[in-house]
Amino acid sequence: ALERALEAAPLNRVMRDACERHLAWAALEDAGITADDDLPPPYEPLVRLFERGGAFHTEHGWAYVGHRGVPTRVKGWEHYHRPDPITALDDDALDALDAADAAR
């Protein structure tokens, strides 16, 4: 049933994989099998992006979130990792980012 639902959705392969992995992670959490209670849900930022109509894909060594790209081959994603989030994921913070984007 999940595969049929995801196939019917307008998702690219990366987005579909992220949704499947998010559900698998949630099942592990429900079963109490996650490695660290302090670890934030790893797929939550992508899920919030998808819920708000955003997209994510990779192409030719770049990871794209919306219309912004980050090179993944030149320095690797580790170069861009930061311990603190770039922005909050609450609706007010994301609404402000969307409004700033729309104003451009």
Side-chain angles (χ1 to χ4, degrees), residues 45-98:
L46 282 175
V47 170
R48 295 288 292 146
L49 175 73
F50 302 157
E51 288 174 340
R52 297 176 63 87
F56 175 85
H57 73 279
T58 59
E59 182 178 351
H60 304 294
W62 288 75
Y64 291 93
V65 178
H67 301 291
R68 294 189 176 96
V70 175
T72 57
R73 289 190 183 162
V74 177
K75 296 181 181 176
W77 68 266
E78 297 90 348
H79 178 78
Y80 301 95
H81 172 75
R82 43 171 63 181
D84 299 318
I86 294 171
T87 188
L89 294 177
D90 63 87
D91 287 331
D92 291 337
L94 296 174
D95 288 344
L97 286 173
D98 289 344

Side-chain angles (χ1 to χ4, degrees), residues 7-62:
E7 285 176 8
L11 303 173
N12 63 44
R13 179 191 53 79
V14 174
M15 293 169 67
R16 188 178 354 267
D17 288 350
C19 289
E20 289 175 358
R21 290 177 181 149
H22 172 67
L23 292 172
W25 184 267
L28 290 172
E29 282 184 323
D30 288 348
I33 301 175
T34 54
D36 186 348
D37 290 335
D38 293 332
L39 184 67
Y43 296 98
E44 187 64 22
L46 282 175
V47 170
R48 295 288 292 146
L49 175 73
F50 302 157
E51 288 174 340
R52 297 176 63 87
F56 175 85
H57 73 279
T58 59
E59 182 178 351
H60 304 294
W62 288 75

